[in-house]
Amino acid sequence: MDDSDFAKYFPTSFGKSSTSSKSKAAPEPKKASADDDGMDALRAFMPTSFGKQKTPKNSSAQQYEQWKRPAEQEKAKGTTKASAESSSTAQSKVALWEGGSKGSTKSDGDGSDDDSDDDSDDGGSNEDGGGSRHPSSSVLPISHEIVLNEHNKTISAMALDPAGVRLVTGGYDYNVCLWDFAGMDTRFKPFRCIEPCGSHQIHDLKYSITGDKILIISGEAKARVYDRNGLEIAEYQKGDPYIRDLRMTCGHVAALTSGAWHPAVKNKFITSSTDGSIRLWDVDNTRKQADVIAYKTKERGGRTPVTAVAYSSDGKMIAGAAGDGSLSLYPSSGPFLRSIHTLENAHAKGTETSGVVFSKDSQRIVTRGGDDTVKLWDVRNLKDHLAVADDLATLNSETNVIFSPDERLILTGTGVKKNEGYGKIVMMNSDTLEVVRTMSVTQSSVVKVLWHDKLNQIVAGNADGSARVFYDPEVSNKGAKLCASKAPKKRAVDDFEIDRPVITPHALPMFREDKIRSNKRKQEKLRNDPVASHRPELPLSGPGRGGKLGHSTIQHVLTDFVKDTTREEDPRAALLKYADIVEKDPQWITPAYKRNQPSTLYDDREDGNEREAKRRK
């Protein structure tokens, strides 16, 4: 074997090899040699290059394929679709508006009119032109989903920050979890879980308009503000429950129900409570609220719980819904003695209106009632609702209702008992509240629904403790796409943890040295120490008692001059020596009883012991 044969077994280059197709020629097919010495097996084990090898990466389509929602699963769950949209490619790209270039969609098998309207045509042309700042709801981002499992009870509160980078969830398990889409991988774990309010359920969570603060509303009477990393900033004052006038207390006196940040001022927020009040707070003042709105009602006792509260989009109005079924609007700048508008029978009396939201122009209000209805109102005329949607079951007092980013849809969740059906996200026309589409989520109630305008992703918080993020890789931006395509980092060889206790050799009984159990030598040393064996000074019974005036040397001199004779003195004689002084100059009680006080008689007779001694003599 000559030198040319050995050259075949060594690398042709060092470092990272180039993968460009232009610089590397196509490999020639291997020719079978007649004098092959059987070294092909050894040649297969020899490296062809040194350095870090580039691992092949999956394409973006392959990365998102595992999170795709299968068509068979939706059919089994009973997701309503049009008959013409049975293919899996048309699941998320369904036209929601009747008429126009987008086509039509049917909801729950009910016949929807195929006649096109002028308004819908205008909306479709505007969307096609790309003039809107918000993503179109004509293409639903529901083709893929990821599941965030950290809570073990109902998720009753959720919020996304304005940038869409972080998600915060809270539930009946008293925990608040913070999720970072950019920092998560496919294990989908939160970067922090806290229990901010002790054993109180979380009712509402809201990010501030700057995204640096989180308002936490729980079952206690105190609101809390945390920063975006889960550290507490402020805890606000609780009022005195024994004061009847709600305007005189420094805070809420009962459990909180809802809260909202001011849409224009970053340091102001409002809270509502079951004590029947809405309070306006300043972030920097934790001792007392800025203003109080005492919600007026005709109920017996003059109080009704305020179950939902919201700011208008322009920040000029505050809307509050109460347990007596009423809906009231107040000016955000005051005065708060009387409401601007009050609708007494907005929802059924005795039910909890769980959601109130304004449109972007602050002209429309949507409410989610505990009477299984969603109602649309015009702020300029609150005498009657514009539209109503019935048979939307709700089992939780935190079920919300939202507008889509382009305000062409209104979304809410429905409630079902566990394992007795599928909780759904219901999508309705924002003008008529006709159901456009329903999407099954889990076999539990859908409590919270979010649709972020920048991410174009829908988040659903469910009663089984899971939060599901729905997205479409083609129309969604960042958010769940970041973590769905990031595999967990492989652990290095030297990165290991021992799952058993580490025992040092000298900690075992067989290697442990015997210690001297006797304390005799130690006690002898303490007895010889004059400081350690000195008897402590006895406590003084009073100032200057026994000649002890302090710890100076004069106390030893005065001990011989001052002698305590109180023990040798007769107490009866000590009292009688003041009798003449009291008789001549009475100062205290004697002058008050001088007229009716009997004369003082002292017993001068001898006691029994003295008489017995005289008899014996």
Side-chain angles (χ1 to χ4, degrees):
M1 187 179 291
D2 54 358
D3 296 340
S4 62
D5 296 333
F6 284 104
K8 298 184 294 181
Y9 303 111
F10 292 96
T12 58
S13 63
F14 293 92
K16 187 175 181 180
S17 60
S18 175
T19 58
S20 62
S21 60
K22 297 181 179 179
S23 61
K24 183 180 290 186
E28 297 180 356
K30 183 179 180 181
K31 298 180 180 180
S33 58
D35 57 347
D36 191 1
D37 52 357
M39 299 298 290
D40 292 338
L42 177 62
R43 189 179 297 108
F45 288 99
M46 299 297 292
T48 59
S49 63
F50 293 97
K52 184 177 180 180
Q53 304 298 320
K54 185 177 182 180
T55 58
K57 294 184 178 180
N58 298 330
S59 62
S60 59
Q62 295 176 349
Q63 293 173 352
Y64 298 128
E65 189 66 25
Q66 59 178 326
W67 311 114
K68 190 173 183 179
R69 304 177 68 233
E72 293 79 11
Q73 181 182 5
E74 290 197 6
K75 290 179 181 178
K77 292 180 180 180
T79 303
T80 59
K81 296 181 181 178
S83 59
E85 297 167 352
S86 57
S87 62
S88 60
T89 57
Q91 286 182 23
S92 61
K93 300 181 178 67
V94 56
L96 295 176
W97 298 103
E98 303 172 357
S101 61
K102 296 296 182 180
S104 61
T105 303
K106 297 182 180 180
S107 168
D108 293 335
D110 298 335
S112 300
D113 297 335
D114 294 331
D115 298 333
S116 59
D117 297 329
D118 296 337
D119 295 338
S120 61
D121 289 340
D122 296 340
S125 61
N126 185 23
E127 200 63 48
D128 295 338
S132 177
R133 297 180 303 143
H134 303 288
S136 172
S137 58
S138 301
V139 180
L140 293 178
I142 58 174
S143 62
H144 296 66
E145 69 171 339
I146 63 172
V147 183
L148 308 178
N149 283 318
E150 188 65 26
H151 297 273
N152 51 32
K153 291 185 180 180
T154 301
I155 293 182
S156 56
M158 289 195 312
L160 280 163
D161 67 342
V165 178
R166 290 187 177 180
L167 170 71
V168 58
T169 59
Y172 288 175
D173 56 356
Y174 319 135
N175 293 328
V176 172
C177 298
L178 291 91
W179 313 77
D180 189 350
F181 289 118
M184 286 192 299
D185 51 28
T186 53
R187 293 174 295 183
F188 305 127
K189 294 295 182 182
F191 70 90
R192 176 163 294 178
C193 285
I194 57 176
E195 191 174 310
C197 306
S199 300
H200 294 280
Q201 296 177 351
I202 307 301
H203 291 166
D204 201 1
L205 294 170
K206 292 292 174 60
Y207 267 102
S208 62
I209 57 175
T210 55
D212 59 340
K213 298 182 184 66
I214 304 173
L215 174 62
I216 300 179
I217 303 298
S218 66
E220 63 176 343
K222 296 183 291 185
R224 299 172 188 267
V225 173
Y226 278 63
D227 64 1
R228 59 184 291 106
N229 295 320
L231 302 177
E232 185 176 358
I233 297 178
E235 175 184 334
Y236 294 89
Q237 182 70 27
K238 176 184 177 181
D240 190 348
Y242 297 101
I243 298 178
R244 178 65 182 174
D245 191 356
L246 295 176
R247 297 184 182 89
M248 302 304 296
T249 59
C250 296
H252 288 290
V253 297
L256 303 180
T257 56
S258 180
W261 290 93
H262 196 285
V265 184
K266 65 178 182 179
N267 289 330
K268 290 185 178 181
F269 64 92
I270 56 175
T271 56
S272 62
S273 171
T274 56
D275 61 3
S277 67
I278 301 173
R279 298 179 187 266
L280 291 78
W281 299 85
D282 192 336
V283 172
D284 299 329
N285 186 7
T286 61
R287 303 298 300 173
K288 189 177 181 180
Q289 71 278 341
D291 285 297
V292 181
I293 301 176
Y295 199 95
K296 294 185 178 181
T297 179
K298 294 182 179 180
E299 290 291 311
R300 184 177 180 182
R303 286 189 183 182
T304 183
V306 182
T307 57
V309 69
Y311 268 110
S312 62
S313 300
D314 54 9
K316 296 181 180 180
M317 288 184 292
I318 297 174
D324 59 354
S326 63
L327 176 66
S328 298
L329 300 180
Y330 294 89
S332 61
S333 58
F336 304 112
L337 295 178
R338 297 182 61 183
S339 60
I340 302 175
H341 302 286
T342 298
L343 185 63
E344 295 182 358
N345 297 320
H347 288 276
K349 184 178 179 180
T351 60
E352 296 186 20
T353 303
S354 55
V356 177
V357 62
F358 281 86
S359 61
K360 288 184 173 61
D361 57 1
S362 300
Q363 299 298 323
R364 294 183 299 169
I365 301 177
V366 179
T367 57
R368 180 67 158 102
D371 53 358
D372 300 341
T373 62
V374 172
K375 294 185 179 182
L376 180 64
W377 310 88
D378 190 347
V379 175
R380 295 161 294 186
N381 185 12
L382 283 177
K383 293 181 179 180
D384 196 5
H385 52 75
L386 299 177
V388 59
D390 299 320
D391 299 329
L392 301 175
T394 176
L395 301 178
N396 300 87
S397 59
E398 296 86 8
T399 306
N400 71 330
V401 61
I402 61 170
F403 280 99
S404 63
D406 58 358
E407 293 193 349
R408 300 172 69 183
L409 292 177
I410 293 175
L411 283 72
T412 188
T414 61
V416 294
K417 294 184 179 179
K418 192 174 182 180
N419 298 326
E420 293 187 5
Y422 281 87
K424 299 180 180 181
I425 297 177
V426 181
M427 306 175 189
M428 298 165 286
N429 189 311
S430 61
D431 296 328
T432 61
L433 292 186
E434 293 181 0
V435 178
V436 176
R437 177 164 180 157
T438 61
M439 181 181 66
S440 298
V441 181
T442 60
Q443 287 185 309
S444 61
S445 302
V446 177
V447 182
K448 289 289 185 179
V449 181
L450 302 176
W451 192 339
H452 200 275
D453 56 349
K454 293 183 179 179
L455 302 181
N456 194 19
Q457 299 174 10
I458 300 174
V459 187
N462 310 309
D464 60 356
S466 66
R468 295 176 179 262
V469 184
F470 301 95
Y471 66 99
D472 190 332
E474 297 182 6
V475 298
S476 299
N477 303 315
K478 298 183 179 180
K481 293 176 60 178
L482 299 177
C483 53
S485 60
K486 185 186 298 183
K489 185 179 180 181
K490 294 183 178 180
R491 300 178 62 180
V493 177
D494 56 348
D495 184 14
F496 65 91
E497 296 179 0
I498 300 177
D499 57 352
R500 57 184 181 275
V502 179
I503 302 176
T504 59
H506 293 286
L508 299 175
M510 58 186 302
F511 296 106
R512 194 176 299 162
E513 297 180 358
D514 295 335
K515 295 182 179 180
I516 301 176
R517 299 185 181 275
S518 177
N519 295 329
K520 183 177 180 180
R521 184 172 299 177
K522 182 178 180 181
Q523 292 177 357
E524 290 178 354
K525 289 183 179 180
L526 292 176
R527 187 63 64 185
N528 296 329
D529 188 358
V531 178
S533 61
H534 178 67
R535 180 185 177 186
E537 294 290 339
L538 295 176
L540 299 177
S541 58
R545 300 293 295 177
K548 294 183 178 180
L549 300 178
H551 294 280
S552 60
T553 56
I554 193 173
Q555 67 180 14
H556 303 288
V557 179
L558 296 180
T559 302
D560 300 334
F561 294 93
V562 180
K563 185 178 181 181
D564 188 7
T565 59
T566 54
R567 289 183 174 272
E568 301 176 359
E569 188 177 359
D570 185 11
R572 184 170 178 271
L575 293 175
L576 289 176
K577 67 181 181 180
Y578 296 102
D580 297 338
I581 300 176
V582 173
E583 185 69 24
K584 295 179 181 179
D585 187 15
Q587 296 181 359
W588 309 110
I589 302 176
T590 305
Y593 299 96
K594 190 172 183 180
R595 296 182 180 180
N596 55 3
Q597 187 72 13
S599 58
T600 305
L601 298 177
Y602 296 101
D603 188 7
D604 296 332
R605 295 177 297 178
E606 298 175 354
D607 55 0
N609 294 333
E610 294 180 356
R611 289 196 299 268
E612 189 66 25
K614 289 182 178 180
R615 289 178 184 177
R616 291 179 180 178
K617 291 180 180 180

